[in-house]
Amino acid sequence: MSNLEEAITFYSKLFGAEPAKVREGYANFAIVDPPLELVLIEGGQGGSINHLGVEVETTAAVAAATQRLADEGLGTDGEQETTCCFAVQDKVWVSGPDHERWEVYTVLGDAESFSGNERCCAAEMTTEPLAVKSSCC
């Protein structure tokens, strides 16, 4: 995590919650819904995470997340009925402070292919938010 304050601001907006604990160079989020423990430690550059996801129950929940994130001033990029990881999904993407990509998604059904979407699981992060280079199957 290169900038802890920036990360706290982003994750507070993303999850609609404040950290449970903040210390010098450290923040801990204990999210109830969806259940998630997220620890942020300041120092260094962003890691090699491909992307992170939060699965919700319905397309309406994806739409609600999209609106909430946009209201928080986060850039969103939505997709409907896209194929990713052998599933058809509705989703919205946001980029974190170190350009890590997050998706809020719901699974609509099974798919025959791993990915029909260039931004799906095999995408690599770039230095620009929401921009990816495809190394897709």
Side-chain angles (χ1 to χ4, degrees), residues 59-124:
T59 295
V62 173
T66 302
Q67 185 61 55
R68 184 180 63 76
L69 296 169
D71 289 348
E72 289 286 356
L74 300 177
T76 62
D77 185 17
E79 297 178 280
Q80 288 73 46
E81 297 184 15
T82 190
T83 300
C84 183
C85 303
F86 295 103
V88 178
Q89 304 171 352
D90 285 348
K91 61 178 70 187
V92 61
W93 293 96
V94 295
S95 289
D98 283 327
H99 309 292
E100 65 279 7
R101 297 173 359 154
W102 281 86
E103 63 174 327
V104 177
Y105 69 97
T106 190
V107 174
L108 304 173
D110 288 332
E112 293 297 318
S113 65
F114 180 72
S115 172
N117 178 340
E118 291 182 350
R119 291 184 293 181
C120 187
C121 302
E124 300 171 11

Side-chain angles (χ1 to χ4, degrees), residues 22-40:
V22 177
R23 301 288 188 266
E24 185 175 338
Y26 173 89
N28 180 317
F29 285 82
I31 309 300
V32 175
D33 185 21
L36 172 72
E37 183 75 19
L38 175 65
V39 174
L40 306 173

